[in-house]
Amino acid sequence: MTTVKATPERRTPAPRALGRAGLRLWHLLALPVALILLWWWISASSGMYYMPPPDVIATTFADVWFSERFFEDALPSVARLLTGFALAAVLGVGIGVALGLSPRLRALTEPVLEFLRAVPPPVLVPLLILLAGISTSMKLLVIVSGCIWPILLNTVEGVRAVDPVLADTCRCYGVRGRRWLTTLVLRSASPQIMAGMRQALSIAIILMVISEMFASSSGLGFTIVQFQRSFAIPEMWSGIVLLGLIGFLLSLVFQFVEKRVLVWYNGVRAATRGE
């Protein structure tokens, strides 16, 4: 006579997963909520006109930006930001790969590049206004002039750090030309290239605002300055909040793209750590 053993009930991982999700959400929201409460307390206790409470800023934000102004000022600014960032990425990676692969070219151009890198991009705004006028081209040039350097320098270092063993292996298997560039060089340098792009993205936001504050008739930077000059303080703060939200959303999008691009690299790191 056979006896049937009762199989132990398996605990579903759902409660544990929900607990982890709740903990992550708490870690994500704890500091912003604390800062908002602190701002609320300071604005209520001081009564300063230049520090309106968060509820006033939120109401003004909805009135100002849930309107045609969003399409007239915010969207063009974001378009210029992304266009300038894309141009800087293409130029930075292209020039960086060339310099990283050629020690002679790198030694020849290094003094000039170091001089140009030391010039702050906002200082170039008056010169670019004279050359390109008060136009979209001027704003794009300001963004590119600052964003290109972290991408270029990180690309150069990434290309120079290509594993010689992998290079010899590709040479033995006849991997040359465009395939060698995309399979070995760019893939090996991609972690540092993405790190440079991450730095450049934050610089692009700053330069986008600066270019619109100096000489423009539209855009987020222009609108915030106009609010400040007319003493529309809640409206000014609503523009600053919108800039922060745009930066936060762009950072999330970049993290998503970075994980997809560096999926092989993250897999190698996880395997190395034994995860």
Side-chain angles (χ1 to χ4, degrees):
M1 202 174 166
T2 59
T3 58
V4 180
K5 295 183 178 179
T7 57
E9 295 182 358
R10 295 182 178 179
R11 295 182 178 178
T12 58
R16 184 178 299 176
L18 290 175
R20 291 179 179 177
L23 186 60
R24 290 177 182 175
L25 183 62
W26 166 252
H27 288 163
L28 182 65
L29 298 178
L31 182 59
V33 170
L35 291 176
I36 292 174
L37 293 176
L38 178 62
W39 179 274
W40 213 317
W41 177 76
I42 293 175
S43 61
S45 59
S46 63
M48 290 181 61
Y49 175 73
Y50 300 107
M51 294 182 62
D55 58 335
V56 175
I57 297 176
T59 303
T60 306
F61 183 94
D63 295 336
V64 173
W65 299 111
F66 292 170
S67 63
E68 295 180 357
R69 187 182 291 274
F70 179 81
F71 300 96
E72 295 174 355
D73 292 318
L75 285 186
S77 295
V78 174
R80 286 190 287 265
L81 186 154
L82 296 178
T83 303
F85 176 76
L87 290 174
V90 172
L91 292 174
V93 172
I95 299 173
V97 169
L99 295 178
L101 294 176
S102 176
R104 292 183 179 179
L105 181 61
R106 187 168 62 251
L108 180 64
T109 59
E110 186 175 6
V112 178
L113 293 178
E114 289 296 330
F115 172 79
L116 294 176
R117 186 171 69 93
V119 178
V123 177
L124 299 176
V125 173
L127 175 62
L128 295 176
I129 291 176
L130 295 176
L131 296 177
I134 303 175
S135 62
T136 301
S137 300
M138 181 273 294
K139 300 178 182 65
L140 293 179
L141 287 174
V142 172
I143 296 173
V144 172
S145 65
C147 293
I148 190 173
W149 298 113
I151 301 175
L152 190 151
L153 296 177
N154 278 274
T155 301
V156 171
E157 294 303 319
V159 171
R160 292 181 62 188
V162 172
D163 191 349
V165 177
L166 293 178
D168 293 338
T169 303
C170 288
R171 193 177 299 111
C172 293
Y173 282 95
V175 180
R176 294 182 177 86
R178 181 179 179 182
R179 187 180 177 187
W180 172 80
L181 180 64
T182 57
T183 305
L184 176 64
V185 177
L186 289 178
R187 182 177 286 263
S188 299
S190 57
Q192 288 185 262
I193 293 175
M194 296 304 291
M197 288 184 178
R198 178 182 289 276
Q199 298 174 14
L201 183 60
S202 59
I203 296 175
I205 298 174
I206 298 172
L207 294 179
M208 179 267 293
V209 176
I210 291 176
S211 66
E212 294 174 350
M213 284 181 172
F214 268 87
S216 181
S217 58
S218 63
L220 276 173
F222 170 80
T223 304
I224 291 174
V225 170
Q226 291 302 309
F227 285 149
Q228 182 265 337
R229 289 175 178 174
S230 59
F231 289 93
I233 303 302
E235 288 78 3
M236 180 192 72
W237 278 108
S238 70
I240 296 173
V241 170
L242 180 60
L243 277 174
L245 292 176
I246 290 174
F248 177 71
L249 292 177
L250 289 177
S251 177
L252 292 181
V253 173
F254 186 86
Q255 288 180 13
F256 177 81
V257 174
E258 185 179 32
K259 287 182 180 179
R260 297 301 181 273
V261 173
L262 300 181
V263 61
W264 66 271
Y265 178 71
N266 295 327
V268 170
R269 290 183 61 187
T272 304
R273 294 196 300 263
E275 296 181 356

